[in-house]
Amino acid sequence: MKRVAILISGGGSNMMSLVADMARDDFATPVLVLANNPEAGGLAKAAERGIPTACIDHRPFQGDRAGFEDKLHETLLAADPDIICLAGFMRILTPGFIHKWQGKMLNIHPSILPLFRGLHTHQRALEAGMCVHGCTVHEVTGELDGGPILGQAVIPVQSGDTPETLARRLLPMEHRLYPAVLRKFAQNDRSPTQILE
Ligand code: GAR
């Protein structure tokens, strides 16, 4: 059974979708939910389910990214995960940190990569006149939102869509995509996952 650590910054709905899927059978188990923000709503949700949680507040480390990442690394090492899932973790990690976990770290990004790396993806998809929008689960490498793509889900863009309506319709697709990719990745299956509604 693979040991999975999940890193969050906010509400943790993707984290919850991963946890729910892992609870269905024994392919993997969540060993840690870690946030960089004590207000992250996902921490309480994970604790309620008996999952160990940790918080490393990035704010006291202002200007000391290495210090923050050292603490992050130490906390992860103690949990001994086989796989780390970034699930709405909104801190940029340095190549030095990523290298230590390379091949073991996944991320979900709310766009059809390689389009719209970074922030404000829903707004940028609308501004670009996209007819479809989507999300991507990829392996994390030193390049921001740039690692090998493992799965994508797409939704149509509808007339009158706003960044908020797009985000709201995309989230349930994220909740289908991420568990599907993790389930395969945990079994060393990197074949592409496609969800086309
Ligand atoms: C999700 O939409 C995820 O794709 C996005 O943050 C949201 C987190 O929601 N991630 C990024 O933008 C990463 N750059 P959640 O906390 O409810 O899972």
Side-chain angles (χ1 to χ4, degrees), residues 114-134:
L115 296 172
F116 315 126
R117 293 174 180 178
L119 298 175
H120 310 301
T121 56
H122 313 300
Q123 187 181 329
R124 287 158 66 205
L126 287 173
E127 283 168 4
M130 296 287 289
C131 298
V132 291
H133 186 43

mmCIF file of all heavy atoms in Angstrom, residues 114-134:
data_model
loop_
_atom_site.group_PDB
_atom_site.id
_atom_site.type_symbol
_atom_site.label_atom_id
_atom_site.label_comp_id
_atom_site.label_asym_id
_atom_site.label_seq_id
_atom_site.Cartn_x
_atom_site.Cartn_y
_atom_site.Cartn_z
ATOM 1 N N PRO A 114 -0.005 22.620 -21.817
ATOM 2 C CA PRO A 114 0.882 23.674 -21.320
ATOM 3 C C PRO A 114 0.301 25.084 -21.418
ATOM 4 O O PRO A 114 1.038 26.057 -21.215
ATOM 5 C CB PRO A 114 2.118 23.528 -22.216
ATOM 6 C CG PRO A 114 1.568 23.029 -23.510
ATOM 7 C CD PRO A 114 0.412 22.138 -23.153
ATOM 8 N N LEU A 115 -0.986 25.214 -21.698
ATOM 9 C CA LEU A 115 -1.584 26.546 -21.700
ATOM 10 C C LEU A 115 -1.786 27.030 -20.263
ATOM 11 O O LEU A 115 -2.158 26.246 -19.394
ATOM 12 C CB LEU A 115 -2.949 26.522 -22.391
ATOM 13 C CG LEU A 115 -2.959 26.176 -23.879
ATOM 14 C CD1 LEU A 115 -4.394 25.999 -24.366
ATOM 15 C CD2 LEU A 115 -2.260 27.264 -24.678
ATOM 16 N N PHE A 116 -1.600 28.313 -20.071
ATOM 17 C CA PHE A 116 -1.978 28.997 -18.832
ATOM 18 C C PHE A 116 -1.312 28.418 -17.578
ATOM 19 O O PHE A 116 -1.972 27.993 -16.645
ATOM 20 C CB PHE A 116 -3.514 29.013 -18.667
ATOM 21 C CG PHE A 116 -4.254 29.382 -19.913
ATOM 22 C CD1 PHE A 116 -5.248 28.560 -20.420
ATOM 23 C CD2 PHE A 116 -3.935 30.546 -20.602
ATOM 24 C CE1 PHE A 116 -5.913 28.885 -21.588
ATOM 25 C CE2 PHE A 116 -4.604 30.880 -21.770
ATOM 26 C CZ PHE A 116 -5.591 30.034 -22.267
ATOM 27 N N ARG A 117 -0.013 28.363 -17.610
ATOM 28 C CA ARG A 117 0.719 28.054 -16.374
ATOM 29 C C ARG A 117 0.537 29.223 -15.407
ATOM 30 O O ARG A 117 0.289 30.344 -15.839
ATOM 31 C CB ARG A 117 2.208 27.897 -16.681
ATOM 32 C CG ARG A 117 2.483 26.688 -17.542
ATOM 33 C CD ARG A 117 3.937 26.628 -17.962
ATOM 34 N NE ARG A 117 4.163 25.452 -18.794
ATOM 35 C CZ ARG A 117 5.317 25.138 -19.346
ATOM 36 N NH1 ARG A 117 6.374 25.904 -19.175
ATOM 37 N NH2 ARG A 117 5.434 24.057 -20.091
ATOM 38 N N GLY A 118 0.693 28.968 -14.126
ATOM 39 C CA GLY A 118 0.623 30.062 -13.148
ATOM 40 C C GLY A 118 -0.796 30.326 -12.682
ATOM 41 O O GLY A 118 -1.618 29.420 -12.622
ATOM 42 N N LEU A 119 -1.068 31.602 -12.402
ATOM 43 C CA LEU A 119 -2.321 31.964 -11.719
ATOM 44 C C LEU A 119 -3.389 32.458 -12.699
ATOM 45 O O LEU A 119 -3.127 32.649 -13.884
ATOM 46 C CB LEU A 119 -2.034 33.065 -10.683
ATOM 47 C CG LEU A 119 -1.062 32.659 -9.557
ATOM 48 C CD1 LEU A 119 -0.763 33.859 -8.655
ATOM 49 C CD2 LEU A 119 -1.624 31.504 -8.735
ATOM 50 N N HIS A 120 -4.605 32.663 -12.183
ATOM 51 C CA HIS A 120 -5.741 33.260 -12.910
ATOM 52 C C HIS A 120 -6.060 32.508 -14.203
ATOM 53 O O HIS A 120 -6.323 33.101 -15.252
ATOM 54 C CB HIS A 120 -5.457 34.744 -13.216
ATOM 55 C CG HIS A 120 -4.994 35.515 -12.020
ATOM 56 N ND1 HIS A 120 -5.748 35.631 -10.868
ATOM 57 C CD2 HIS A 120 -3.830 36.159 -11.765
ATOM 58 C CE1 HIS A 120 -5.076 36.321 -9.963
ATOM 59 N NE2 HIS A 120 -3.909 36.656 -10.485
ATOM 60 N N THR A 121 -6.046 31.189 -14.113
ATOM 61 C CA THR A 121 -6.187 30.371 -15.320
ATOM 62 C C THR A 121 -7.564 30.500 -15.971
ATOM 63 O O THR A 121 -7.671 30.481 -17.189
ATOM 64 C CB THR A 121 -5.928 28.894 -14.983
ATOM 65 O OG1 THR A 121 -6.824 28.504 -13.942
ATOM 66 C CG2 THR A 121 -4.500 28.671 -14.529
ATOM 67 N N HIS A 122 -8.622 30.615 -15.152
ATOM 68 C CA HIS A 122 -9.981 30.666 -15.710
ATOM 69 C C HIS A 122 -10.168 31.969 -16.495
ATOM 70 O O HIS A 122 -10.671 31.981 -17.616
ATOM 71 C CB HIS A 122 -11.026 30.539 -14.599
ATOM 72 C CG HIS A 122 -10.729 29.425 -13.642
ATOM 73 N ND1 HIS A 122 -10.639 28.112 -14.047
ATOM 74 C CD2 HIS A 122 -10.460 29.428 -12.314
ATOM 75 C CE1 HIS A 122 -10.340 27.352 -12.996
ATOM 76 N NE2 HIS A 122 -10.219 28.132 -11.947
ATOM 77 N N GLN A 123 -9.733 33.054 -15.895
ATOM 78 C CA GLN A 123 -9.827 34.355 -16.562
ATOM 79 C C GLN A 123 -9.013 34.369 -17.852
ATOM 80 O O GLN A 123 -9.462 34.859 -18.892
ATOM 81 C CB GLN A 123 -9.312 35.423 -15.599
ATOM 82 C CG GLN A 123 -9.498 36.840 -16.103
ATOM 83 C CD GLN A 123 -8.949 37.838 -15.105
ATOM 84 O OE1 GLN A 123 -8.971 37.585 -13.895
ATOM 85 N NE2 GLN A 123 -8.438 38.935 -15.610
ATOM 86 N N ARG A 124 -7.826 33.797 -17.809
ATOM 87 C CA ARG A 124 -6.954 33.817 -18.993
ATOM 88 C C ARG A 124 -7.520 32.931 -20.099
ATOM 89 O O ARG A 124 -7.407 33.257 -21.282
ATOM 90 C CB ARG A 124 -5.532 33.393 -18.596
ATOM 91 C CG ARG A 124 -4.826 34.491 -17.797
ATOM 92 C CD ARG A 124 -3.690 33.942 -16.967
ATOM 93 N NE ARG A 124 -2.605 33.431 -17.771
ATOM 94 C CZ ARG A 124 -1.742 32.497 -17.348
ATOM 95 N NH1 ARG A 124 -1.853 31.975 -16.146
ATOM 96 N NH2 ARG A 124 -0.779 32.106 -18.129
ATOM 97 N N ALA A 125 -8.175 31.819 -19.722
ATOM 98 C CA ALA A 125 -8.794 30.960 -20.743
ATOM 99 C C ALA A 125 -9.921 31.722 -21.442
ATOM 100 O O ALA A 125 -10.065 31.647 -22.669
ATOM 101 C CB ALA A 125 -9.315 29.681 -20.100
ATOM 102 N N LEU A 126 -10.705 32.476 -20.667
ATOM 103 C CA LEU A 126 -11.795 33.269 -21.265
ATOM 104 C C LEU A 126 -11.226 34.366 -22.160
ATOM 105 O O LEU A 126 -11.691 34.559 -23.294
ATOM 106 C CB LEU A 126 -12.660 33.894 -20.162
ATOM 107 C CG LEU A 126 -13.570 32.931 -19.402
ATOM 108 C CD1 LEU A 126 -14.239 33.641 -18.220
ATOM 109 C CD2 LEU A 126 -14.619 32.324 -20.328
ATOM 110 N N GLU A 127 -10.221 35.053 -21.679
ATOM 111 C CA GLU A 127 -9.614 36.156 -22.456
ATOM 112 C C GLU A 127 -9.012 35.643 -23.758
ATOM 113 O O GLU A 127 -8.984 36.345 -24.762
ATOM 114 C CB GLU A 127 -8.523 36.848 -21.624
ATOM 115 C CG GLU A 127 -9.100 37.784 -20.576
ATOM 116 C CD GLU A 127 -8.068 38.254 -19.546
ATOM 117 O OE1 GLU A 127 -6.859 37.921 -19.685
ATOM 118 O OE2 GLU A 127 -8.487 38.945 -18.599
ATOM 119 N N ALA A 128 -8.530 34.399 -23.746
ATOM 120 C CA ALA A 128 -7.913 33.826 -24.951
ATOM 121 C C ALA A 128 -8.964 33.329 -25.939
ATOM 122 O O ALA A 128 -8.621 32.914 -27.052
ATOM 123 C CB ALA A 128 -6.985 32.688 -24.562
ATOM 124 N N GLY A 129 -10.241 33.361 -25.532
ATOM 125 C CA GLY A 129 -11.296 32.906 -26.434
ATOM 126 C C GLY A 129 -11.368 31.392 -26.563
ATOM 127 O O GLY A 129 -11.831 30.865 -27.584
ATOM 128 N N MET A 130 -10.942 30.685 -25.528
ATOM 129 C CA MET A 130 -10.976 29.210 -25.570
ATOM 130 C C MET A 130 -12.418 28.700 -25.677
ATOM 131 O O MET A 130 -13.326 29.253 -25.080
ATOM 132 C CB MET A 130 -10.352 28.644 -24.287
ATOM 133 C CG MET A 130 -8.883 28.961 -24.098
ATOM 134 S SD MET A 130 -7.807 28.029 -25.203
ATOM 135 C CE MET A 130 -7.950 26.380 -24.509
ATOM 136 N N CYS A 131 -12.609 27.638 -26.440
ATOM 137 C CA CYS A 131 -13.911 26.972 -26.520
ATOM 138 C C CYS A 131 -14.026 25.867 -25.480
ATOM 139 O O CYS A 131 -15.125 25.452 -25.128
ATOM 140 C CB CYS A 131 -14.124 26.352 -27.902
ATOM 141 S SG CYS A 131 -14.140 27.563 -29.215
ATOM 142 N N VAL A 132 -12.877 25.363 -25.045
ATOM 143 C CA VAL A 132 -12.858 24.374 -23.960
ATOM 144 C C VAL A 132 -11.856 24.846 -22.897
ATOM 145 O O VAL A 132 -10.954 25.627 -23.173
ATOM 146 C CB VAL A 132 -12.458 22.952 -24.454
ATOM 147 C CG1 VAL A 132 -13.527 22.347 -25.333
ATOM 148 C CG2 VAL A 132 -11.105 22.967 -25.136
ATOM 149 N N HIS A 133 -12.080 24.349 -21.711
ATOM 150 C CA HIS A 133 -11.180 24.642 -20.589
ATOM 151 C C HIS A 133 -10.952 23.309 -19.873
ATOM 152 O O HIS A 133 -11.605 22.314 -20.233
ATOM 153 C CB HIS A 133 -11.864 25.667 -19.675
ATOM 154 C CG HIS A 133 -11.024 26.178 -18.542
ATOM 155 N ND1 HIS A 133 -9.707 26.537 -18.680
ATOM 156 C CD2 HIS A 133 -11.335 26.411 -17.229
ATOM 157 C CE1 HIS A 133 -9.251 26.962 -17.501
ATOM 158 N NE2 HIS A 133 -10.219 26.892 -16.613
ATOM 159 N N GLY A 134 -10.059 23.273 -18.914
ATOM 160 C CA GLY A 134 -9.852 21.982 -18.270
ATOM 161 C C GLY A 134 -8.839 22.038 -17.154
ATOM 162 O O GLY A 134 -8.434 23.119 -16.695
#
